[in-house]
Structure formats: structure tokens, C-alpha cells
Amino acid sequence: MSHSSKNIQFVAQPGGNLSGEVRVPGDKSISHRSIMLGSLAEGTTEVSGFLEGEDSLATLQAFRDMGVQIEGPTAGRVTIHGVGLHGLKQPTRSLDLGNSGTSMRLLSGLMSGQAFDVEMVGDASLSGRPMKRVTLPLAQMGAEVATTEAGTPPLKVKGGCQLHGIHYDMPVASAQVKSCILLAGLYADSTTCVTEPAPTRDHTERMLKGFGYPVKVDGATACVEPGGRLTATTIDVPADISSATFFMVGAAIASGSDITLQHVGINPTRIGVINILRLMGANLEVLNEREVGGEPVADIRVRASQLKGIRIPEDQVPLAIDEFPALFVAAACAEGETVLTGAEELRVKESDRIQVMADGLVALGVDARATPDGIVIQGGPIGSGTVESHGDHRIAMSFAMAALRASGPITINDCANVNTSFPDFVGLASRCGLNISSREA
Ligand code: S3P
């Protein structure tokens, strides 16, 4: 039995609050990109603060499988001996990207520019996720990437195709699609541009620049020219605001809480959770703002306060796309109604996060109603019971925090995948005051 098919159960006891000064693990998006760009660079790249979670480790292993010498991770340090844009070797087996959509979508672009064929596979969740959003624009560039008939993995990427630059108007606001096309553009025979319908995370653009590769950004459009090269650099990965979110929400809802999350990445394309929690009346301070390796970083202090229900502004959706499971728990603890619209993308994440959260909240006695593109939640008391995470890390951690306000224990099924983004969540949450344990059921 593979580790992710064991039923790891979390049991969170009711009550308590969160306090202390903590640093959550490294940013997942930046960790993935550090391995990819470090591998394609010329010279040795040193990474610190790397997320030692299964998703970023899947990316790391994929590049080892393609002949890149990588040392670590040891306490968040990774050394990558870059092979240059044309130095990857054909792997002797399929690249197994586990649960990681970011790995598969970004690599589909990169692999399209290589001289060799590659197959990419994933776990049951990733194998159900839509890949046409990357294979269609890649086909316009001249790539050949085959999916199943349903448009899902495995992906078979044909090597040796000459890519052509395109100007792609993205139909969905997706940083993964944008990054995929820009990375393919490094191998095209002319300029490649991507225009996004709303701002999405720009870590790829920032990091390409950090490696000395020019990216032209003009409003909603980012362009790369072929023929450049990446030069090795050092990368300090900030703590992941998406992981900090569980503690921000936990502290906001549990009376007596006072927690400071240290060294959190506050890239403007990622701060929807801060904006939304503030609109809900959270007591949240952003302290010691600084810039680290081209990414803004700060400490975030959150104290408990009475939250109120809001209509979530649609322009915040892409900026908080991974934070909604936790924000739904905040909404359940708020006074009044919270309404989310324009968030149909949540249905194609690691799980259908609208339905799975609605089901779990209802199981705990909360009045929550899924809609096609969002949810409506009435704040009120949280009961006790068992909820299903459907193997989705962020669902599991969100319901763990709900226990701070529950009337009895909350048992959460299928939590093994918390290790994809937040190794030792149970340990860190316990040290902050959440009464949680993990067991094999
Ligand atoms: C990511 C982009 C987002 C996000 C995912 C990581 C990235 O996905 O949900 O967890 O690193 O580029 P989309 O770009 O598909 O919205």
C-alpha cells in the first residue's frame, strides 16, 4: 500500500487558542521554481528555506531523473548543479509527480522544448485534473503533448518539436498555465507572450529575472524572448503564506489567540487572504516588511476578534485561490453570511474544494450551501463529528483549525497528503496550542 493510500486520521480536540512566534515551511510555488530554474541555469544555485514537502520533492526527483545533480534537502538547503537550458537528459522512467499539479503543468511546458520524449504521471487526484488548459496552447506553439481522452494525465510529451512563439490570451486566471507557456517560450523561435484575465502569482517572472533572464511585463502581459540563458544564483524561499493561512484563521477565530507568523512571503499576487480577513474584521498586522531575493516578506501578527460575514470581492479570488478552505472556516465563525462567487476554479483543485468544504461544514452542523461557482455560509456554532478531506491537504488542515471553535472533537479522514505542502503540521500546530493528534486508522 502506498503511503498516501493509508488513512491517516487527524483528531482535533475542541477549544484552545494559538500563540507564539512561528515560521511555517517554505513557499511551495517558489520551491518548485527554484529546482526548475536552478537546473536550467549555468552554475551552482544554492537554495535555503526549501519546502521539504512531497510536492516540491517530486519536482526535485524529476530533475534528478533527468540527470541533474542535486544535493539535499538538508534543513531546507538544496544545492543544484545546473546543466543549462539544453543539458537535461532523457529519464529512464516516467516522471512521477505525485499529487502536484504545479509540477505537471509547469513541466509540460519545459518538456515540450526538449529533444527527448517524456511521460508524466501522477496520483489518483492529479490523474483527474484538467490538462487541456496547458496542452491546447502548447499545441499552438507546435508542441505535441498527449493526454487521455478526458484531457487528464498521464501526459506524453514528444521531444524534438520546434516551438514557435505565440501570444496567448489565457481564458482562465492561472499562474500554472502562464508559467507553462513562458517556460516553453524559452525554447521557441520567436517571442512568446501571455496575457492574463486577472493578476495571478508572478513567481516565475520574478525568478527568471533573478536568474538574469529578461522578462518583459506590461500590465497583464508577460513576454519572453528565446535565446537567453539563466545564470545560477542564491534563493531564500520565504515561508508559505498559504501554510501561514491556517494559523492566521485559527488565531482570528479562537479567543485569546496572539500569534506571529515569521518571514512570510507577501507577494502582492498572494495576499488575498490578508485582504479578505481584514474585510471580515480580523485583527491582523503586517510587520517588518522587507525584500528577500526579489520577493517581499513580512511577519504577520494575528489576534482573535469577532469576524463578520462578507461578500468576497471577485478580484480577490485569484489572489487567495489556495486559501478558501481555511477562509470558509473563518466564515463559519463569523457573524452573518459570507458569499463567495466567481471561484469555479476551486472545483478542479486537489479536490472539489467547494463541494468537499460544504459537505464537511454541514457534517459539523454549519449552514453551508455550495453554488456552481462558490459557496454561501451562515456563521454559527460549529459542532463535532467526522469529516472527509478527500486526500486534500488544505481541506484537512482547515478542518483541524475549526476544532478551536467546535463543541466536541473533529475527526478528519485521509490526511496523508498534508505532507505534500506542510510536513509536521501536527507538531507545529500542537506547539502553538491546537490539541491535535494524528493516527493510522
Ligand atoms: C500555483 C498556482 C495556482 C495554485 C497552486 C500553485 C503555482 O494554481 O492553486 O497551488 O505555483 O503556479 P492555478 O494557477 O492553476 O490557479
Side-chain angles (χ1 to χ4, degrees), residues 28-29 33 102 105 133 173-176 201 321-322 349:
K28 185 150 71 75
S29 294
R33 288 158 172 81
T102 307
R105 296 215 179 98
R133 55 179 61 198
S174 166
Q176 293 180 349
R201 65 192 68 191
I321 192 68
D322 292 337
K349 292 296 179 186

Side-chain angles (χ1 to χ4, degrees), residues 99-433:
N99 194 242
S100 178
T102 307
S103 307
M104 190 167 289
R105 296 215 179 98
L106 270 59
L107 278 178
S108 66
L110 259 187
M111 293 299 104
S112 294
Q114 306 304 315
F116 49 82
D117 295 353
V118 182
E119 184 182 46
M120 297 190 286
V121 301
D123 71 4
S125 157
L126 182 52
S127 299
R129 295 182 65 187
M131 292 296 150
K132 288 274 188 222
R133 55 179 61 198
V134 287
T135 61
L136 291 177
L138 286 172
Q140 288 177 27
M141 296 180 79
E144 289 182 37
V145 185
T147 65
T148 65
E149 216 163 295
T152 54
L155 295 188
K156 292 194 171 103
V157 187
K158 197 164 154 28
C161 297
Q162 176 56 58
L163 303 183
H164 311 296
I166 57 170
H167 188 145
Y168 190 58
D169 260 306
M170 275 198 299
V172 285
S174 166
Q176 293 180 349
V177 175
K178 173 176 65 174
S179 301
C180 164
I181 304 306
L182 291 176
L183 291 173
L186 304 182
Y187 295 93
D189 57 8
S190 57
T191 311
T192 298
C193 297
V194 185
T195 300
E196 51 189 12
T200 68
R201 65 192 68 191
D202 63 355
H203 304 300
T204 301
E205 298 92 303
R206 285 174 188 254
M207 201 183 285
L208 277 169
K209 290 179 191 163
F211 278 91
Y213 201 106
V215 181
K216 211 154 88 208
V217 180
D218 183 7
T221 302
C223 302
V224 292
E225 304 278 346
R229 41 195 232 163
L230 286 83
T231 306
T233 184
T234 57
I235 296 172
D236 175 356
V237 182
D240 198 326
I241 191 169
S242 299
S243 296
T245 288
F246 305 107
F247 293 82
M248 288 160 58
V249 166
I253 63 174
S255 80
S257 294
D258 183 355
I259 198 164
T260 300
L261 287 316
Q262 298 169 324
H263 207 77
V264 180
I266 53 158
N267 180 308
T269 60
R270 298 285 299 279
I271 58 169
V273 61
I274 294 177
N275 300 336
I276 293 168
L277 282 176
R278 281 186 167 151
L279 288 173
M280 296 177 80
N283 180 347
L284 187 155
E285 287 174 273
V286 177
L287 306 164
N288 299 324
E289 283 189 55
R290 55 209 184 262
E291 188 161 309
V292 178
E295 290 278 353
V297 167
D299 302 324
I300 300 176
R301 181 178 183 190
V302 183
R303 282 171 280 183
S305 60
Q306 177 58 58
L307 301 179
K308 58 177 197 292
I310 60 164
R311 189 167 273 280
I312 297 174
E314 287 196 6
D315 63 3
Q316 295 300 310
V317 169
L319 311 182
I321 192 68
D322 292 337
E323 285 62 80
F324 285 106
L327 285 168
F328 296 168
V329 169
C333 298
E335 219 171 67
E337 181 177 87
T338 295
V339 181
L340 174 68
T341 54
E344 55 281 339
E345 273 295 300
L346 293 180
R347 292 198 178 271
V348 291
K349 292 296 179 186
E350 287 83 327
S351 70
D352 176 345
R353 287 183 172 160
I354 291 175
Q355 197 58 50
V356 171
M357 283 304 298
D359 291 347
L361 288 169
V362 167
L364 297 175
V366 177
D367 179 353
R369 185 170 53 83
T371 63
D373 67 339
I375 197 166
V376 181
I377 298 170
Q378 309 293 339
I382 296 182
S384 162
T386 299
V387 297
E388 304 299 328
S389 79
H390 290 268
D392 185 327
H393 54 141
R394 300 199 197 282
I395 304 278
M397 292 183 273
S398 299
F399 280 119
M401 290 299 171
L404 292 162
R405 284 278 291 268
S407 63
I410 296 179
T411 300
I412 308 156
N413 277 322
D414 218 356
C415 298
N417 281 338
V418 166
N419 286 330
T420 61
S421 68
F422 203 143
D424 201 31
F425 168 76
V426 167
L428 191 61
S430 302
R431 291 195 289 283
C432 294

